[in-house]
Amino acid sequence: MSAQLHAFLERREKVKEKANAPITQPQVFVGMGTCGIAAGAQDVLKALREEMDKHNLRATIKKVGCIGMCEQEVLVDVQFPGSPRVTYGNVTPKKVSRIVESHLKEHVPVQEWVVGEVATPDDPYPGNPFYTKQKRIVLRKCGFIDPESIDEYIAMDGYSGLVSVLTRMTPEEVIEEVKKSGLRGRGGAGFNTGLKWEFARKAPGDTKYMVCNADEGDPGAFMDRSVLEGDPHAVIEGMIIGAYAVGARSGYLYVRAEYPLAIKRLKKAIADAREMALLGENILGTGFSFDLKIKEGAGAFVCGEETALLASIMGQRGMPRPRPPFPAQKGLWDCPTVINNVETYANIPGILVLGGDWFASMGTEKSKGTKVFALTGKVANTGLAEVPMGITLREIIFDVGGGIQGGRQFKAVQIGGPSGGCLPESLLDTPIDYDQLNRTGAIMGSGGLVVLDDRTCMVDVAKFFLKFTQSESCGKCTPCREGTLRMLEMLENISQGKGTEDDLLKLERLAETVKDASLCGLGQTAPNPVLTTIRYFRHEYLAHIKDKTCPAGACKHLITFYIDAEACTGCTVCAKSCPVAAITGERKKPHVIDPALCIKCGACEESCKFGAVLRGKEGAV
Amino acid sequence: MSQPQTINLDAVREILSRHKDTKGALITVLQEIQEAYGYLPRPALSEVSAAMGVPLSKIFGVVTFYAQFHLKPRGKHVIRVCLGTACHVRGGERMLEKVGEILGIGPGETTDDQKFTLERVACLGACGLAPALMIGDQTYGRLTGKRVEELIKQYREN
Ligand SMILES: Cc1cc2nc3c(=O)[nH]c(=O)nc-3n(C[C@H](O)[C@H](O)[C@H](O)COP(=O)(O)O)c2cc1C
Ligand code: FES
């Protein structure tokens, strides 16, 4: 056994012992992913330190990644030796002093703010409906380890998959195991990962590359960010194993620039892995070498497409090119290149530790394992949920997600982002399965699930996505560049009440053409949101066209804001909030909106505490 | 705003000395220059062109392709309001209008005092806390009109 390997095994023994030993001093965990920080975790942490100093208390403060409950951020956990770990939700700097005084000082938890008691990484909060139907494999360590500590990763069997691969398996055996698992790419298209690796292994050439697609461009999705921020080593380990399997010596992590925290944590993780001989020359003394570089994206959605991403790594404009040749044959600098998504790589270590059969035992016939979803929009529990394949959309939205926010009515779920589609209530029993989702006109996508309620207009949603893809179209091929623009114009007209039924037919025809004729996945999938909304919500389009109304009250051109004189208390808040001084009225008397001046920005509606600002049909008042 | 007459290119040279022989480093070089200067000054691009042997036209092609690169100076604090899906359905546009109203500028513009630049972005990955925005490297979620006012005030003061 090499000295490096010996050192690693010894260290693993030690950190495991330490991790399993009972704690001797109280521990405080603060969720410090981007979402936690966005909710104010930084201030909470500061308040915690100050309060503890004030009371002369000592505890280990651990910064952990995201455990998935975005709705309850900031999350703070307190644990005493010999007691369970208690989680507080919606913590603010103000709440900290009571938590410190009561719980940390007097050992009495502040029950009213407690979310639950943490059990195990597999089922963090037994009985909590958000977790009951989840199956945490990729997210297992997120929220439990300090992502900046390689030791904590190793203590939870991190890099053990790599060790068994390097010491006991041939590259072919690794590929066999991954094939056996049935793992399909989590970046959207769902290509079989083991097969992709096999193609790259068999492709001629001495220089080969591994690339991780961490561009996560779908608006409304943050699965990859959470994995990178909460468990960066898992992705790195997956890439090293892949490199060994295909015979690559260098690799790139292409991370979007909007994720500064993920980049920071990856940099640290790479440096730590290098130091322990897990990355770089002669890994663990086995003679295998592989090194990794980070490339920051520069703000272009199309760079999530694999050939565009490769062009961007090479310092060029991120424009896609026709495939074949596929990157596995001809990628970076014309060398065979494997490109996989973050979540795909994060699944690899587990497959090598527990086996392909274990992985394949979860899911449906052709979709194995789990999928992480970013649950957002008008759902009660927003957050990150990892569910076994085969679970239905209904279960995700109503059981995990807790149904619709504010007790409103479910209308649709958008799955797969700008390349995906909107599905209605009647399709909620569709299981999470690549092929069954494709049949509905939507796609599995990378994991964005945006829930829409009765106040969301489907024409507006279609317009939103098309506006996005149209502006992100790289302009290389005509169907996508021109087609999406014309489609957008038609949608614009419809949402302004200027569309005709003929426009709707034209829109459908053009959508099919753009789908068939575009060069890359961007254009080929851009019409999906439009086509699915027309397919399942045609009546809403017709309401805009024939009746000139927006049933959801969202399309500005088709609504009027007015004030309900009964409900108005004359508090003047709306008048003050109006940017164009369209609201008049005396204090304590009902106010009125002048429709001629109103720009329909909705500021008054948002500011009114009495629900007195209402939306009516254009011209109704 | 008038641009300074001469720009000190030492930082550019230093960046080039580290990367110019690495293949595919053009975007990295441009990112680091922008990090150092806040934007991509024209003379810096000429320097890059000469040192890396890439025609200026090609550099402009790359610069104008990516939303992240800027040929004009930007404000000290860049505010990026998210208009991604989750933020869209939870009132992102309204937040953009609000920030614009407070600063008196539209998206893509910079305030006269060079303090703030307003931009839109499609998703910051904080969708669970929509609507969200980013100021510099810091992400803020669960915005309301009032919270936006407070945040801008806070940044204006330092
Ligand atoms: C317009 C467009 C955007 C894409 N964006 C992403 C992305 O952000 N992340 C990702 O992993 N894959 C993205 N993909 C899919 C990639 O092209 C590619 O299929 C994927 O990275 C392969 O990895 P996988 O097999 O592990 O899924 C995108 C594809 C298209 C057409
Ligand atoms: S949609 Fe705004 S942060 Fe994702």
Side-chain angles (χ1 to χ4, degrees):
Chain A
M1 185 188 296
S2 74
Q4 292 95 321
L5 182 57
H6 186 75
F8 173 84
L9 295 178
E10 229 170 37
R11 180 139 168 194
R12 184 171 71 182
E13 198 67 25
K14 226 190 284 158
V15 294
K16 272 195 171 173
E17 216 167 85
K18 192 172 143 217
N20 291 330
I23 54 170
T24 53
Q25 134 161 317
Q27 290 189 318
V28 181
F29 301 75
V30 185
M32 296 281 274
T34 290
C35 35
I37 293 174
Q42 220 65 282
D43 295 335
V44 167
L45 185 68
K46 193 164 142 243
L48 246 170
R49 292 214 164 105
E50 283 167 8
E51 284 296 318
M52 285 177 32
D53 280 347
K54 201 165 95 192
H55 294 282
N56 243 327
L57 293 168
R58 280 162 51 87
T60 319
I61 297 185
K62 284 175 75 162
K63 299 189 229 172
V64 292
C66 168
I67 201 159
M69 287 192 288
C70 299
E71 196 62 37
Q72 311 261 6
E73 291 283 3
V74 180
L75 292 161
V76 173
D77 298 4
V78 177
Q79 184 175 29
F80 278 98
S83 303
R85 177 173 153 188
V86 176
T87 303
Y88 292 101
N90 291 310
V91 179
T92 57
K94 270 198 205 125
K95 290 185 180 170
V96 166
S97 74
R98 218 177 116 198
I99 294 174
V100 170
E101 228 162 275
S102 169
H103 196 166
L104 278 158
K105 194 162 167 223
E106 311 290 345
H107 298 224
V108 186
V110 188
Q111 285 305 342
E112 61 205 271
W113 298 334
V114 170
V115 178
E117 284 177 7
V118 182
T120 59
D122 299 302
D123 187 5
Y125 299 97
N128 182 331
F130 184 71
Y131 290 99
T132 308
K133 293 206 169 166
Q134 289 201 45
K135 173 110 192 131
R136 292 162 58 88
I137 297 173
V138 170
L139 298 180
R140 189 164 177 272
K141 301 187 186 75
C142 291
F144 285 85
I145 60 168
D146 174 351
E148 300 192 13
S149 160
I150 190 169
D151 282 343
E152 293 196 12
Y153 179 69
I154 291 172
M156 285 182 82
D157 276 325
Y159 289 111
S160 293
L162 177 67
V163 169
S164 51
V165 163
L166 291 183
T167 53
R168 287 201 292 272
M169 294 170 87
T170 63
E172 286 77 11
E173 284 169 341
V174 175
I175 289 174
E176 243 357 272
E177 204 61 41
V178 175
K179 271 165 83 178
K180 208 196 284 171
S181 76
L183 174 65
R184 293 169 69 170
R186 301 297 194 234
F191 193 79
N192 184 298
T193 306
L195 266 183
K196 190 186 274 189
W197 289 12
E198 189 171 59
F199 288 144
R201 165 133 208 111
K202 290 192 174 149
D206 292 333
T207 310
K208 293 176 187 177
Y209 293 98
M210 290 307 278
V211 172
C212 175
N213 187 343
D215 199 40
E216 189 152 72
D218 283 8
F222 55 94
M223 307 72 54
D224 295 349
R225 173 184 67 68
S226 294
V227 173
L228 294 171
E229 288 177 359
D231 194 8
H233 285 286
V235 180
I236 294 173
E237 185 180 355
M239 287 188 79
I240 308 172
I241 293 172
Y244 175 74
V246 308
R249 288 183 48 107
S250 49
Y252 292 92
L253 277 146
Y254 188 93
V255 192
R256 71 193 291 242
E258 285 83 359
Y259 289 176
L261 185 63
I263 292 171
K264 183 179 147 229
R265 293 197 172 148
L266 277 172
K267 281 189 178 152
K268 169 131 190 10
I270 288 175
D272 290 348
R274 262 196 212 124
E275 192 160 316
M276 289 186 68
L278 293 161
L279 203 57
E281 285 299 312
N282 194 12
I283 293 176
L284 293 177
T286 57
F288 169 66
S289 303
F290 175 69
D291 213 352
L292 261 180
K293 277 204 189 100
I294 294 178
K295 282 272 180 181
E296 279 182 44
F301 171 67
V302 72
C303 285
E305 196 282 332
E306 54 190 26
T307 60
L309 187 147
L310 297 179
S312 183
I313 290 182
M314 293 186 284
Q316 302 157 5
R317 287 164 72 99
M319 289 215 186
R321 60 158 176 77
R323 300 171 309 177
F326 287 91
Q329 286 130 8
K330 254 181 178 214
L332 285 176
W333 295 283
D334 284 342
C335 301
T337 302
V338 164
I339 171 162
N340 277 129
N341 164 264
V342 169
E343 193 183 331
T344 312
Y345 283 123
N347 269 304
I348 296 292
I351 292 174
L352 273 304
V353 171
L354 298 168
D357 287 331
W358 159 78
F359 192 85
S361 72
M362 292 170 284
T364 62
E365 194 197 337
K366 288 196 177 142
S367 304
K368 302 295 188 190
T370 61
K371 179 77 195 87
V372 182
F373 286 99
L375 203 50
T376 64
K378 308 287 183 69
V379 65
N381 307 326
T382 58
L384 207 62
E386 181 173 359
V387 292
M389 297 277 189
I391 191 174
T392 64
L393 285 165
R394 189 185 303 279
E395 288 173 283
I396 301 181
I397 297 164
F398 288 91
D399 296 342
V400 178
I404 308 304
Q405 207 181 33
R408 297 200 71 95
Q409 195 71 32
F410 171 88
K411 185 190 264 183
V413 56
Q414 209 288 334
I415 175 165
S419 318
C422 289
L423 303 181
E425 166 93 39
S426 60
L427 287 174
L428 278 182
D429 292 313
T430 311
I432 297 300
D433 174 287
Y434 288 95
D435 313 289
Q436 299 211 45
L437 280 168
N438 278 348
R439 244 168 269 150
T440 64
I443 57 164
M444 170 86 80
S446 59
L449 266 189
V450 186
V451 178
L452 308 171
D453 69 4
D454 54 347
R455 299 207 27 190
T456 325
C457 166
M458 302 316 286
V459 179
D460 182 64
V461 169
K463 200 173 81 180
F464 168 80
F465 281 111
L466 202 67
K467 216 185 218 165
F468 177 80
T469 31
Q470 189 273 325
S471 73
E472 292 294 339
S473 166
C474 77
K476 185 167 176 171
C477 75
T478 320
C480 174
R481 184 185 63 234
E482 298 300 326
T484 54
L485 188 63
R486 298 292 160 247
M487 284 171 66
L488 186 59
E489 282 170 6
M490 294 180 202
L491 278 173
E492 220 36 278
N493 276 340
I494 294 174
S495 79
Q496 293 180 10
K498 291 190 265 181
T500 62
E501 279 182 75
D502 194 39
D503 285 341
L504 194 58
L505 296 178
K506 275 194 202 141
L507 180 60
E508 276 181 291
R509 254 201 2 241
L510 184 55
E512 292 293 351
T513 310
V514 172
K515 215 175 145 126
D516 290 341
S518 292
L519 167 66
C520 86
L522 194 152
Q524 287 159 11
T525 58
N528 286 348
V530 178
L531 286 169
T532 50
T533 47
I534 297 181
R535 178 158 156 199
Y536 300 119
F537 299 92
R538 194 174 202 101
H539 53 278
E540 249 183 73
Y541 279 84
L542 291 176
H544 287 73
I545 291 169
K546 285 198 196 155
D547 312 337
K548 312 291 175 206
T549 58
C550 173
C555 292
K556 279 187 184 176
H557 289 270
L558 302 180
I559 53 165
T560 321
F561 283 96
Y562 66 97
I563 293 174
D564 177 359
E566 301 266 301
C568 178
T569 63
C571 73
T572 75
V573 166
C574 60
K576 284 192 199 114
S577 77
C578 179
V580 291
I583 305 181
T584 49
E586 276 174 56
R587 177 169 278 282
K588 302 216 171 128
K589 298 244 172 76
H591 281 46
V592 278
I593 303 176
D594 181 351
L597 292 177
C598 176
I599 54 167
K600 300 171 186 174
C601 69
C604 50
E605 181 185 42
E606 189 186 302
S607 72
C608 181
K609 290 191 196 73
F610 310 99
V613 179
L614 302 176
R615 295 170 182 224
K617 195 178 160 182
E618 166 70 18
V621 190
Chain B
M1 200 206 89
S2 66
Q3 293 202 3
Q5 290 304 307
T6 49
I7 288 174
N8 182 340
L9 292 177
D10 287 350
V12 177
R13 292 190 191 106
E14 189 275 326
I15 291 165
L16 281 167
S17 71
R18 277 187 288 119
H19 294 295
K20 71 175 173 15
D21 298 322
T22 316
K23 59 180 174 177
L26 178 60
I27 292 175
T28 312
V29 166
L30 295 173
Q31 281 169 332
E32 290 192 16
I33 294 176
Q34 181 155 298
E35 180 77 28
Y37 293 84
Y39 72 111
L40 295 171
R42 173 69 201 252
L45 296 183
S46 307
E47 191 81 16
V48 173
S49 167
M52 298 184 77
V54 185
L56 202 53
S57 58
K58 209 157 200 171
I59 296 182
F60 271 100
V62 169
V63 168
T64 52
F65 183 84
Y66 294 101
Q68 196 198 55
F69 292 126
H70 303 278
L71 292 162
K72 282 202 223 116
R74 293 194 305 155
K76 181 168 164 214
H77 305 293
V78 178
I79 304 184
R80 307 208 262 180
V81 181
C82 179
L83 298 179
T85 323
C87 291
H88 176 76
V89 302
R90 282 200 185 179
E93 335 280 321
R94 183 63 210 121
M95 291 304 126
L96 182 70
E97 281 167 21
K98 182 87 199 173
V99 178
E101 246 165 59
I102 299 173
L103 297 177
I105 52 173
E109 295 174 1
T110 300
T111 52
D112 288 337
D113 62 0
Q114 298 286 311
K115 271 224 150 136
F116 294 99
T117 296
L118 177 56
E119 286 175 0
R120 47 178 133 211
V121 59
C123 195
L124 298 169
C127 325
L129 300 171
L133 61 71
M134 204 169 177
I135 306 183
D137 263 359
Q138 187 72 39
T139 311
Y140 299 93
R142 288 196 193 124
L143 297 176
T144 58
K146 205 162 144 239
R147 177 96 179 100
V148 167
E149 270 170 34
E150 287 165 9
L151 278 172
I152 294 179
K153 189 154 166 264
Q154 193 183 316
Y155 276 84
R156 189 168 267 152
E157 280 158 14
N158 59 54

